[in-house]
Amino acid sequence: MEAKDQQQAAAAEAVEANVEAINPDQEEVTEVEVEVVDPQAAALEAARKLANDNHERYMRVQADYDNFRRRSRQEKEDFAKYASVKLIEQLLPIVDNFERALVASKSVKDFEVLIKGIEMTAKQLDQVLESEGLKAIESVNQPFNPDFHQAIMQVDSEDHEEGTIVEEIQKGYMLKDKVIRPAMVKVST
C-alpha cells in the first residue's frame, strides 16, 4: 500500500509543478485528482475487450452458419422438388404422341395404323426409361430369387425344374442397381 501512496503523492507533486510552470502567477494551487493506472485493472479491461471482440466474432460466425444451413436446406428442397424435370421433359413428346393417337383413333377407323403408332410410342417410352437406367427384370425360365421376384403362386410343372419361374404375371423393374418393383411370378414345384 505504501508504494501506491508514494506513487500517488509523486504524481500529485508532478501535477503541481506542471500547473506552476503553466501559470506561475497563481497563488493557490487546487488539488487535482490524478488517476493512477493500475496494471491489473488495465489487464482486466484488455481481457474484457478481447472477450467482447471474440463474442462478436462468434455471433457473426453463428449467423453465417445459420444462413449456410438455411441455404443448404432450401437447395435440397429445390433439388427434390425439381429432380424429375429432365425425365418429364423427355416424356412430354411421348404424351403428345399418345394424345395424337387418341384423336386419330376417333376420326380414322384404320386400326392397323393406330396399333403401329401406339407401338412406336411405346418403343419411344421404353427408350426414355432405359436411358434413365430402368431395366426390366428377366423372369421366365430363371431360377426364383426373392431379391428380384415375388412368388404369388406355385404350380406343378413337368417341363420345369423345381424353383424355376414358369410365368410372369407382372414385370419387375430395376433402376440402375436397385429393385424398384419385384416381378410377380408363378414358380414350379
Side-chain angles (χ1 to χ4, degrees), residues 38 73 75 85 112 171:
D38 184 13
R73 186 181 67 240
E75 287 172 0
V85 167
E112 288 180 26
K171 276 188 177 184

Side-chain angles (χ1 to χ4, degrees), residues 166-180:
V166 177
E167 184 180 345
E168 183 178 68
I169 306 300
Q170 184 181 49
K171 276 188 177 184
Y173 291 96
M174 292 182 65
L175 182 60
K176 298 182 172 69
D177 295 332
K178 182 179 179 181
V179 175
I180 59 171

